[in-house]
Amino acid sequence: MSKNNVIKSIGGIGLSLYEKLPTEFISAFYFEIQKNIDQGILSENMNQELLLIKIALEKRGLNLMDIQPPVEFEQLEFSLLNTH
């Protein structure tokens, strides 16, 4: 599915969420989703979510080669929830 079709199919709602999240969070989330797809925990349909994250990163002038998960996703999630 192309980027435009993914955005049209969700009405842009999902993309706006990723645009609002910190880069560290969405990059860690990307790698967590990919890991779970690779392990068979999540279905290949989640590749649409990966595409939405890639689009959000591109809007920031980044690509997957620019990012690496800084810590385990669970640790990042905990630290983000406890900053407010």
Side-chain angles (χ1 to χ4, degrees):
M1 183 176 280
S2 73
K3 289 180 187 180
N4 289 336
N5 289 341
V6 170
I7 294 170
K8 287 178 188 174
S9 71
I10 60 163
I13 294 171
L15 186 58
S16 64
L17 171 64
Y18 292 125
E19 288 175 345
K20 293 177 184 178
L21 293 172
T23 301
E24 282 184 338
F25 186 84
I26 62 171
S27 64
F29 193 52
Y30 178 90
F31 288 106
E32 186 71 14
I33 291 173
Q34 186 63 61
K35 179 180 79 175
N36 287 322
I37 291 171
D38 293 344
Q39 294 175 351
I41 297 169
L42 294 174
S43 75
E44 292 289 325
N45 291 335
M46 289 300 290
N47 282 316
Q48 290 182 353
E49 289 300 313
L50 296 180
L51 181 57
L52 291 173
I53 293 170
K54 287 179 190 177
I55 293 168
L57 289 170
E58 287 173 3
K59 286 187 171 192
R60 297 174 192 199
L62 301 170
N63 64 47
L64 292 177
M65 299 298 288
D66 297 325
I67 62 168
Q68 294 182 9
V71 294
E72 288 296 316
F73 181 73
E74 291 83 7
Q75 293 172 344
L76 182 60
E77 180 181 30
F78 180 76
S79 67
L80 285 172
L81 290 174
N82 289 311
T83 58
H84 299 286

